[in-house]
Amino acid sequence: MWFDPQRPDALSNIRHNAQERDGLSKYGWEAHDGKSYGRQELHDKPFHLTTSWVKRQCRGCGYGGDWALLLDAKPLPNPDASAEHDLLDPDVKLPRISVFFYVADEAGSPAEIQTDGLKGQSGLEGGSRVVQEGGVAGGWQLHMGSSSGLGKLRHLGVQTPHMHNVTELVQQSLVLTRSKGQSRGTPAYQLPNTAAAAPNVAIFQLTASLPFTLEVAFLGRPGPGQNPIREPVMACSDCASDDGTQPEPISDRAKALQGPALRQLMRSREEQFDQRFADTFGQLSEQDLPPGIQAVAKAALSNLLGGIGYFYGASLIRLPHKTLPSQEAGLFSAVPSRSFFPRGFLWDEGFHQLVISRWAPDMSRDMLAHWLDLMNQQGWIAREQILGAEARSRVPEEFIVQRPDSANPPTLFLALAQMADQIAAAASDPSASSALHDQEQFLKAGKLPTYIPGDQTPATLREMLVNGLDAEHFLGWPPGSPGSTPPKRDPYREATGGAAGTPTPSPSSTPRRSPQVNGKGVIGQPRKIPNVVLLSDTQESEH
């Protein structure tokens, strides 16, 4: 999160969520492998921000390994001015930026904020840290350091159950101050350097002149009963020293995620990303294609992978006479757009998985299992997954409620069919990779019921497709296309919340069943797929 402290309207221009209205000239991932590395470029005049992150597995790490974030902030070049003149002119002030970094425990487990010097304790030269000794992530430490020094680092610790309004929390907490002896000029908005007794959200603020860098390192350890590394690792190739049995010293882990070692690790991961891209999709020769096609293709993949998120909560479902929440559920999914549609969409996800399954088949299987887990007993999946307060905060109220008589084409079958084609092609190939065997086991893992919508005709299915483009591409809509029939208006169904043209049940037709409602007033729990094997792990998991 950041803002320009030299703007008079600084508080109303805090950048946090990706929003088109912020007017950034550029933002997006230029490299992202979905699991262990990413690099993002943001141009927000007068700032050029590069955010990079890297994950590192080691013995003694907690779930997911250690990770680090590097923020490189510098002035955005002004094409209308002479950079050399600006550097030499003492009257030209370099831009200043106020940057926030925060960490939160959504379960409410408290963390301790330590702002005194830490030199010699973990290998970090000074800085601040956050420490937590419990919670689902086990014990962990979060260390911060900056090239500009952390003498002016400010902090705030709060206890809150809400994570969707952190921007407003910062706005309400900033204090307007002036430096000693300062009678005029731009005042500074600063965090108050206070902390609640048991904060589950820790926010840090650093205000500095450009250029500067900020490093954040997360060092975890397993909690009671947790496995040190979830994915099977025969040897810890990231470890500075590894005899195969002993946990890596925390001082070595910290040194591997700071300064030159951190930058070298990030360069290595970027090279690995480039090579993997070429191996997966082939070399895109710019001799036969437009200039820059390599960079565009990598950015397209990276933004797809960088937009993947995990969402949890309940959908709101419109029944004929009431609106009820569904059973709470989790969803691991890509999104169509970080800034405009930062949530799961059923139609889009089938196309997303055509790409993701080629890049990371294990991740794709996990995501498909999450989506299929949302299916109810009638075979219906809500076309738009708005799960939890954070997701709802980005959706206009009139679009939040989902309707069982609205559907999308079943594009998830595209990804499943692609898996089946790969398996069939490799059936007679003894050199086929074990990944194809994993795909086959996934497809055999559960018996998925076929959804047969009673006596509904193709025309009725057309009417269920609420987006005109959906129908045009999949069922020959609009009217006048071969084999199409226009929907019939049905005043009763429209008045009671049904889709226009959905036939009213008659004695000779099979009525559409509404989602079952239990005694607690929520829609029945989605059907579970038994024994889905998540092959990114070493054991079977139930969804």
Side-chain angles (χ1 to χ4, degrees):
M1 189 187 314
W2 73 92
F3 70 82
D4 183 349
Q6 296 166 307
R7 290 184 59 153
D9 56 348
L11 287 188
S12 60
N13 281 278
I14 294 179
R15 312 301 199 205
H16 187 198
N17 294 321
Q19 299 181 108
E20 294 183 7
R21 68 185 184 207
D22 288 341
L24 275 67
S25 59
K26 176 181 179 179
Y27 66 93
W29 297 101
E30 297 195 351
H32 201 300
D33 67 6
K35 290 187 178 182
S36 65
Y37 172 72
R39 175 177 56 83
Q40 178 180 219
E41 301 288 342
L42 306 104
H43 293 179
D44 184 19
K45 189 177 182 180
F47 310 127
H48 177 189
L49 306 179
T50 302
T51 60
S52 305
W53 67 275
V54 67
K55 189 167 73 170
R56 178 178 179 272
Q57 294 284 6
C58 70
R59 301 200 177 275
C61 296
Y63 278 161
D66 293 343
W67 55 260
L69 167 71
L70 174 64
L71 169 66
D72 184 5
K74 55 189 176 184
L76 187 66
N78 184 355
D80 301 324
S82 169
E84 182 178 359
H85 177 268
D86 288 349
L87 291 175
L88 296 176
D89 189 346
D91 295 328
V92 175
K93 294 183 178 180
L94 292 173
R96 290 174 61 80
I97 188 172
S98 193
V99 176
F100 300 85
F101 179 84
Y102 68 93
V103 59
D105 187 311
E106 293 185 275
S109 299
E112 179 185 359
I113 300 175
Q114 301 175 352
T115 58
D116 53 347
L118 302 172
K119 184 174 181 179
Q121 293 190 28
S122 63
L124 292 175
E125 296 293 326
S128 298
R129 70 175 181 178
V130 184
V131 179
Q132 188 180 75
E133 296 299 330
V136 295
W140 54 266
Q141 301 176 5
L142 194 71
H143 299 259
M144 281 157 282
S146 173
S147 63
S148 66
L150 295 180
K152 295 184 178 180
L153 187 74
R154 311 285 296 185
H155 71 273
L156 173 68
V158 296
Q159 174 64 238
T160 176
H162 306 297
M163 302 296 152
H164 65 282
N165 58 348
V166 177
T167 307
E168 290 77 11
L169 181 62
V170 168
Q171 288 174 324
Q172 297 166 7
S173 302
L174 288 170
V175 178
L176 187 61
T177 62
R178 295 183 185 273
S179 301
K180 292 183 179 180
Q182 182 184 15
S183 59
R184 58 183 179 178
T186 304
Y189 290 99
Q190 297 181 334
L191 292 178
N193 279 350
T194 60
N200 68 318
V201 179
I203 308 172
F204 292 87
Q205 177 190 18
L206 177 63
T207 303
S209 297
L210 304 184
F212 75 91
T213 61
L214 175 66
E215 297 176 2
V216 179
F218 177 96
L219 309 175
R221 71 174 185 273
Q226 293 179 341
N227 294 323
I229 300 176
R230 298 188 66 185
E231 298 181 3
V233 177
M234 298 304 296
C236 186
S237 58
D238 287 335
C239 297
S241 61
D242 178 31
D243 62 5
T245 58
Q246 296 300 317
E248 186 177 0
I250 193 169
S251 59
D252 290 348
R253 291 163 54 189
K255 290 176 181 177
L257 294 176
Q258 65 168 315
L262 172 61
R263 287 158 179 76
Q264 177 56 41
L265 180 59
M266 288 182 168
R267 284 192 295 268
S268 175
R269 291 294 170 81
E270 180 119 9
E271 292 172 358
Q272 293 172 19
F273 169 80
D274 291 340
Q275 185 59 52
R276 181 178 172 187
F277 183 90
D279 294 342
T280 304
F281 301 107
Q283 292 286 355
L284 301 178
S285 173
E286 297 194 357
Q287 295 179 352
D288 304 321
L289 296 170
I293 192 68
Q294 285 268 16
V296 171
K298 290 177 182 177
L301 172 67
S302 297
N303 282 283
L304 174 61
L305 297 172
I308 291 173
Y310 180 81
F311 310 88
Y312 187 86
S315 293
L316 293 180
I317 310 299
R318 176 62 181 171
L319 299 180
H321 303 292
K322 64 180 71 174
T323 298
L324 294 174
S326 69
Q327 184 80 13
E328 288 191 337
L331 178 63
F332 183 43
S333 175
V335 301
S337 167
R338 283 172 55 193
S339 60
F340 212 75
F341 296 114
R343 52 195 175 274
F345 280 76
L346 177 59
W347 181 27
D348 301 73
E349 195 61 19
F351 297 105
H352 294 159
Q353 294 307 319
L354 290 176
V355 179
I356 296 173
S357 63
R358 291 184 62 184
W359 181 261
D362 58 337
M363 183 185 296
S364 179
R365 292 191 294 270
D366 200 353
M367 299 166 83
L368 285 169
H370 274 83
W371 270 101
L372 294 173
D373 227 13
L374 298 174
M375 188 184 296
N376 71 3
Q377 293 179 351
Q378 286 74 43
W380 177 74
I381 301 175
R383 64 192 299 266
E384 187 172 351
Q385 296 295 323
I386 309 170
L387 305 178
E390 185 174 3
R392 289 179 190 171
S393 69
R394 301 293 300 274
V395 183
E397 185 175 355
E398 62 269 26
F399 299 118
I400 292 177
V401 177
Q402 302 295 295
R403 299 175 180 271
D405 50 13
S406 297
N408 267 174
T411 59
L412 295 183
F413 283 116
L414 297 175
L416 295 173
Q418 179 175 266
M419 287 185 188
D421 289 343
Q422 292 170 345
I423 294 167
S428 59
D429 183 1
S431 63
S433 68
S434 60
L436 291 176
H437 174 72
D438 295 344
Q439 304 281 55
E440 183 177 10
Q441 293 303 307
F442 175 81
L443 293 179
K444 293 180 177 178
K447 295 181 179 180
L448 305 181
T450 301
Y451 177 42
I452 303 176
D455 290 339
Q456 296 173 26
T457 65
T460 302
L461 289 178
R462 280 191 199 92
E463 295 147 12
M464 289 178 67
L465 298 172
V466 300
N467 184 300
L469 183 63
D470 299 3
E472 178 182 355
H473 279 264
F474 282 83
L475 294 172
W477 193 258
S481 60
S484 66
T485 57
K488 300 177 182 179
R489 294 185 60 84
D490 188 328
Y492 173 79
R493 291 286 296 176
E494 294 178 19
T496 56
T502 304
T504 302
S506 64
S508 60
S509 66
T510 302
R512 178 179 297 133
R513 294 178 294 171
S514 298
Q516 301 299 313
V517 180
N518 64 27
K520 296 182 180 179
V522 299
I523 293 175
Q525 185 174 1
R527 179 194 53 76
K528 297 296 183 182
I529 304 173
N531 299 326
V532 170
V533 181
L534 301 182
L535 290 153
S536 59
D537 297 336
T538 57
Q539 297 179 343
E540 293 185 358
S541 300
E542 291 240 339
H543 270 258

